[in-house]
Amino acid sequence: MKKANIEEFFARLKAQRPEPRTELEYTTAFELLIAVLLSAQATDVGVNKATAILYPVANTPQAILDMGLDTLKTYIKTIGLFNTKAVNIIKTCQILVDKYQGEVPNTREGLEELPGVGRKTANVVLNTYFGQPTMAVDTHIFRVSNRTTLAPGKTVEVVEDKLIKVIPKHYIMDAHHWLILHGRYTCKARSPLCGECIVSDLCDWKERFDYGVSNPIES
């Protein structure tokens, strides 16, 4: 995608969603961290339903430790892979209590030492809560970046590096949310809504003409 088109691409996404935010519900860094841990291979809606019950009872590392593994599982059992996630959450809470006085670290190194926290989860917390210019590449962002040729790459790491380089600095803080929401609701995996897409004329995906966008060559 051409540099001029990238500027316009994000200008339109910003106009569509001036104040984008994650659809995970949270009030503290710890609540966001747990929500993101639970969101792997699960929907935000499903996670929010579980945390809406869990957080009023336990929303700090010590409170979850006091609750214990078996009880924690009863609160998150509706979420996929809940057994593994529960174990990681308990281990994470123990580290937070022992090493960080119950606070969530605001560095990549500190976050990635927590069980179940990989680069993507760390990037989400760093960007969404701590306001750092990171880019968490999930399946939606990976798809949008490759389809549009905004930042094509065969791996998540390559796409992440390219996005950080090509996204204008004045858009970088909210770019993660714009791209994920665009991928979730417009640039869908199986049935993209190209005919309704506000950036379809900037997109280099040739197959968009099969999804409701007129082909200028044929018109």
Side-chain angles (χ1 to χ4, degrees), residues 8-53:
E8 178 64 18
F9 182 90
F10 283 100
R12 294 184 192 177
L13 294 183
K14 180 178 181 179
Q16 183 184 46
R17 296 185 175 94
E19 297 182 358
R21 64 182 300 274
T22 178
E23 294 184 318
L24 292 171
E25 296 176 359
Y26 70 96
T27 57
T28 66
F30 179 71
E31 288 185 356
L32 175 62
L33 173 62
I34 298 305
V36 178
L37 282 172
L38 291 173
S39 69
Q41 298 184 45
T43 66
D44 288 358
V45 172
V47 172
N48 289 337
K49 288 181 179 179
T51 57
I53 300 172

Side-chain angles (χ1 to χ4, degrees), residues 46 56 74 78 115 122 131 152 171:
T74 66
T78 56
Y171 292 125

Side-chain angles (χ1 to χ4, degrees), residues 199-219:
V199 291
S200 61
D201 59 314
L202 306 175
C203 175
D204 291 329
W205 190 44
K206 295 180 180 179
E207 292 180 43
R208 72 187 187 280
F209 299 122
D210 297 327
Y211 291 92
V213 175
S214 60
N215 191 332
I217 297 177
E218 298 177 353
S219 60

Side-chain angles (χ1 to χ4, degrees), residues 7-157:
E7 173 71 32
E8 178 64 18
F9 182 90
F10 283 100
R12 294 184 192 177
L13 294 183
K14 180 178 181 179
Q16 183 184 46
R17 296 185 175 94
E19 297 182 358
R21 64 182 300 274
T22 178
E23 294 184 318
L24 292 171
E25 296 176 359
Y26 70 96
T27 57
T28 66
F30 179 71
E31 288 185 356
L32 175 62
L33 173 62
I34 298 305
V36 178
L37 282 172
L38 291 173
S39 69
Q41 298 184 45
T43 66
D44 288 358
V45 172
V47 172
N48 289 337
K49 288 181 179 179
T51 57
I53 300 172
L54 172 64
Y55 289 160
V57 178
N59 69 339
T60 67
Q62 189 60 60
I64 287 183
L65 287 175
D66 292 342
M67 171 183 284
L69 179 62
D70 291 339
T71 301
L72 173 61
K73 287 182 179 181
T74 66
Y75 282 93
I76 64 172
K77 63 183 179 181
T78 56
I79 297 175
L81 305 176
F82 75 93
N83 283 305
T84 300
K85 291 176 181 178
V87 171
N88 284 335
I89 289 172
I90 290 294
K91 291 180 179 178
T92 287
C93 288
Q94 193 65 64
I95 293 174
L96 293 178
V97 168
D98 293 344
K99 189 172 181 177
Y100 297 101
Q101 295 75 52
E103 299 297 323
V104 174
N106 62 356
T107 65
R108 181 184 306 282
E109 295 74 19
L111 286 167
E112 290 188 359
E113 74 172 316
L114 302 173
V117 176
R119 186 175 182 85
K120 184 182 75 172
T121 297
N123 280 339
V124 171
V125 175
L126 290 173
N127 177 267
T128 303
Y129 193 85
F130 293 111
Q132 297 183 25
T134 59
M135 177 57 63
V137 179
D138 71 343
T139 56
H140 296 298
I141 294 178
F142 188 82
R143 179 174 64 255
V144 171
S145 297
N146 276 284
R147 266 187 184 168
T148 63
T149 72
L150 172 65
K154 294 184 178 181
T155 68
V156 168
E157 291 76 12

Side-chain angles (χ1 to χ4, degrees), residues 167-215:
I167 296 173
K169 291 184 179 179
H170 49 285
Y171 292 125
I172 195 68
M173 285 304 303
D174 291 323
H176 164 76
H177 298 305
W178 284 322
L179 291 175
I180 195 172
L181 292 172
H182 188 66
R184 182 173 292 166
Y185 296 113
T186 302
C187 195
K188 301 178 182 181
R190 296 184 179 180
S191 300
L193 305 179
C194 298
E196 302 173 17
C197 178
I198 62 171
V199 291
S200 61
D201 59 314
L202 306 175
C203 175
D204 291 329
W205 190 44
K206 295 180 180 179
E207 292 180 43
R208 72 187 187 280
F209 299 122
D210 297 327
Y211 291 92
V213 175
S214 60
N215 191 332

Side-chain angles (χ1 to χ4, degrees), residues 3 163 182:
K3 186 175 181 180
L163 286 172
H182 188 66

